[in-house]
Structure formats: C-alpha cells, structure tokens
Amino acid sequence: MSARTLPLLFLNLGGEMLYILDQRLRAQSIPGEKARKVMNDIITTMFNKKFMEELFKPQELYSKKALRTVYDRLAHASIMRLNQASMDKLYDLMTMAFKYQVLLCPRPKDILLVTFNHLDAIKDFIQDSPNILNQVDETFRQLIDVYSCLSAGEFQLIRQTLLIFFQDMHIRVSIFLKDKVQNSNGRFVLPTSGPVPWGTEVPGLIRLFNCKGDEVKRVEFTNGSNYILPHREGSFELYGDRVIKLGTNMYSVSRPVETHMSGASKNLASRTKENAAPNPLAKEELNFLARLMGGLDIKKPSGYEDQQRNEELARIMGEFEVEDQPRQSTSKGDDLLAMMDEL
C-alpha cells in the first residue's frame, strides 16, 4: 500500500463530484448566482489550506466509510441539500468514474495527468473569486512538488492501492452501459487497441540478444490489434496540454445517468449492514478524520467508545467547516433534495 495515494483519491473523486453537481445545477435550471455560490462554497471547503496540508501528509487509506463521510460533509458545505438516496447516487457515480479512469491509464504515472485534468476543470468552475483560484493553484503546486519526483515503481504502487480500494465496487452506470464500456455485471470492458503508453513501442517486434548484449536477430509478429504511438507526452506543469482525456468532464453533454448495483455488490452491501460488530479500526478511522478536519484529539477508545463510534464520527464531521463562512439557513427555495433524482 502506498502512503501517497490519499491526495490523488480525494482530489479525483472530488473533481467527479463537482462535475456531477454542475451538471445537475444546470439541468435543474438553478439560478446562476445560486449555482455559482454552491460551486464556490464546495470548492473553497475542498481546497481549504489546512485541510490540504493534512491531506498531503504520508498516510495509508482508511475505510470506505470514513472517506464517504468526508464527501457527505463536503457535498453539504453550501446551501445545497441532498437526501440519502441522492448522496448514494452521487457517490456511486464518483467512484465508478474514477475507477474506470484508473483502469484505463496507459501508465501508472498518468494518474497524475488525470488529477491535473480534474483540477484544470475545477478552475474553470470558479468565477469571480481569485482567492479560491489561488487555493486550487496552491494544491496544484503541492501535487507537482510531491509527485513529479516519484519513480515509475512508486506510481505503480499508487495504482495498485487505488485498484485495491475499488476492487469490490461493481456499480452499473447508464453512461458506461450505453457506451458499452461496462458489462451488465458492473465490470468494465478494457480496450485492446489505441495509443500505447508513452515511452513504449507498438507490439510486433521481438529482439534477440547474445550474451554480450548485441542484437543478433529480429522477429516480427502480428499483434492482432490496432495500436498506435502517442504523439507526445502530457504536460506535468501547472499549465499545459495533458494530452490524455481521462479525468475530463463527461457530463459536459447532458444525458441521463443511472446507477445500478450488481448482485455481488448488493450481497457485499448486505453483509456490511449485517456486520454490527465493533470495528477494531474505529480509533484509526477517527484519528484519520481528525487529522483531516484540523487535528482534533481522539482518545483511545474503550469498548463503550467503540459502540459510540457513529456518534463520534458525526461530531468530528460537524467540525468540517470553513472559517468565516456562516451556515446558511435553508428555505424551500434553497432545498435541493430532489437534485439527483434524474440521475
């Protein structure tokens, strides 16, 4: 497991969340000023400086439940309100979209380009707020500083860590089903043609070398697919052409989206609900969230505290607020409970 995976997981899932919310705000014809406020408030919270500093500290991934709770809180960092069913749909779409992107990355290092695509798009969402734009740019610089020097092996470990996190998630999404990139069981169909990874060659040639390292023979073979060389490598700078399209906004063209849980995932969810035994990782999960939310002190849990972990988790998430941003009162006009109903 890589201790450098969490920032990439958080930022890419957050980017997918913003894509979906932007699409739903437009589809629901939410007034422009209110829609901008929703997006700006969530982006402000997501890229809070203290939050990012804690996020980038080397640490292992924790449970799906802990991370899901962070996104629940993040989605409600504005005047927007989502009911449980809508939040479930939102999280399903986020996770399956990023899982597909990780699977399709030509090289493990290209996961960083996917992250940059998300951040490039997030910057386009920001309107009339240079302070928020500076927050995102600062995170951009942190990504460059931390990840640009990592080896191919370290990126491969990051990719494996992400795939382990996603391995039991097989939720069907209508966009993927209609595009025939996902099977009815929720598993993705991976292409066997297209650009090869940067720095590699199109399959079709075997080179034979002698004991001195000299090439002595070449054998060509038919690879059976339509592979091509990439034109250039994507830019890993603050600004530039990322080349790959993974991580860009697939909701820019409006089309209905649905999520359907496959049988295996339903069984997994059922077993999860039935398992009411105290979680031995409860303390670690709470400490993880405490670090992200600003360094709250979590005492070593006794058996009683383990039983009360849900209440404690809710209390910690209650601290996930941006300073000087008062909570908005909600009226019928502010309530977006049905916002995700068409997904």
Side-chain angles (χ1 to χ4, degrees):
M1 299 285 283
S2 170
R4 288 294 187 185
T5 307
L6 183 60
L8 301 181
L9 178 62
F10 175 79
L11 291 170
N12 284 288
L13 288 179
E16 288 298 321
M17 181 180 74
L18 290 168
Y19 289 165
I20 299 163
L21 294 180
D22 171 71
Q23 193 273 342
R24 297 315 306 157
L25 288 167
R26 287 185 282 107
Q28 295 287 338
S29 300
I30 302 299
E33 183 177 348
K34 183 175 290 186
R36 285 193 296 273
K37 177 171 177 52
V38 168
M39 296 297 285
N40 282 357
D41 285 352
I42 293 175
I43 295 170
T44 298
T45 306
M46 180 175 170
F47 290 91
N48 176 275
K49 184 177 180 180
K50 187 174 182 181
F51 180 57
M52 283 294 131
E53 287 174 355
E54 295 296 327
L55 191 74
F56 273 82
K57 292 178 180 178
Q59 55 194 295
E60 292 187 1
L61 294 184
Y62 282 77
S63 73
K64 294 179 178 67
K65 178 182 177 182
L67 288 174
R68 164 62 191 267
T69 307
V70 173
Y71 289 105
D72 285 354
R73 186 61 181 163
L74 185 59
H76 293 92
S78 70
I79 58 176
M80 179 183 65
R81 294 295 172 268
L82 297 176
N83 60 24
Q84 187 63 44
S86 294
M87 191 64 216
D88 289 344
K89 286 184 178 182
L90 174 61
Y91 192 70
D92 287 346
L93 289 169
M94 292 160 50
T95 52
M96 294 308 290
F98 184 44
K99 177 181 180 178
Y100 184 55
Q101 293 156 16
V102 173
L103 287 170
L104 259 62
C105 275
R107 304 175 299 173
K109 185 179 180 181
D110 290 334
I111 293 172
L112 190 55
L113 293 177
V114 174
T115 310
F116 288 173
N117 273 337
H118 279 113
L119 266 61
D120 287 339
I122 290 172
K123 289 169 68 173
D124 290 337
F125 287 141
I126 301 167
Q127 298 185 30
D128 305 322
S129 184
N131 289 337
I132 305 177
L133 197 61
N134 287 336
Q135 286 179 248
V136 180
D137 278 342
E138 180 57 32
T139 299
F140 238 124
R141 295 185 184 95
Q142 284 182 279
L143 283 168
I144 293 171
D145 289 344
V146 172
Y147 292 95
S148 61
C149 60
L150 297 186
S151 67
E154 288 171 309
F155 274 109
Q156 173 64 8
L157 188 57
I158 288 173
R159 183 176 185 272
Q160 289 177 339
T161 305
L162 288 170
L163 291 177
I164 290 170
F165 179 83
F166 288 124
Q167 67 180 346
D168 295 324
M169 299 181 182
H170 306 296
I171 302 157
R172 294 181 295 163
V173 177
S174 64
I175 283 182
F176 296 139
L177 292 169
K178 290 174 183 176
D179 290 345
K180 300 187 184 303
V181 298
Q182 191 180 32
N183 291 323
S184 59
N185 62 4
R187 297 182 184 275
F188 288 111
V189 179
L190 302 183
T192 56
S193 61
V196 297
W198 177 259
T200 65
E201 299 179 8
V202 172
L205 178 65
I206 299 173
R207 295 184 179 92
L208 301 177
F209 297 85
N210 62 21
C211 58
K212 296 179 180 179
D214 300 322
E215 183 178 325
V216 294
K217 187 179 179 180
R218 290 190 174 197
V219 180
E220 294 185 358
F221 65 93
T222 303
N223 59 45
S225 295
N226 184 24
Y227 294 109
I228 59 174
L229 288 172
H231 296 299
R232 61 188 180 281
E233 185 179 24
S235 171
F236 289 89
E237 303 298 326
L238 184 60
Y239 302 100
D241 182 3
R242 314 303 176 191
V243 179
I244 68 172
K245 301 304 179 185
L246 298 173
T248 56
N249 190 352
M250 67 177 177
Y251 306 99
S252 55
V253 177
S254 180
R255 49 182 173 172
V257 184
E258 293 180 357
T259 62
H260 308 273
M261 189 173 290
S262 68
S265 295
K266 284 181 179 178
N267 292 337
L268 178 65
S270 176
R271 290 196 303 270
T272 302
K273 289 181 180 179
E274 290 171 3
N275 182 14
N279 182 359
L281 294 179
K283 174 180 177 289
E284 285 79 5
E285 291 179 10
L286 293 176
N287 282 337
F288 162 70
L289 285 173
R291 289 198 300 275
L292 295 186
M293 304 316 157
L296 293 174
D297 249 349
I298 306 298
K299 297 178 180 178
K300 183 176 181 180
S302 62
Y304 172 79
E305 288 171 333
D306 268 337
Q307 295 171 10
Q308 300 299 317
R309 65 188 181 281
N310 290 336
E311 287 81 358
E312 183 70 1
L313 193 61
R315 183 188 69 77
I316 291 176
M317 295 310 297
E319 301 293 331
F320 191 13
E321 298 282 355
V322 176
E323 292 181 7
D324 302 322
Q325 183 177 322
R327 194 72 173 180
Q328 300 289 328
S329 61
T330 57
S331 64
K332 185 175 182 179
D334 291 333
D335 193 351
L336 302 180
L337 284 175
M339 183 176 154
M340 301 290 292
D341 288 349
E342 296 179 15
L343 291 180

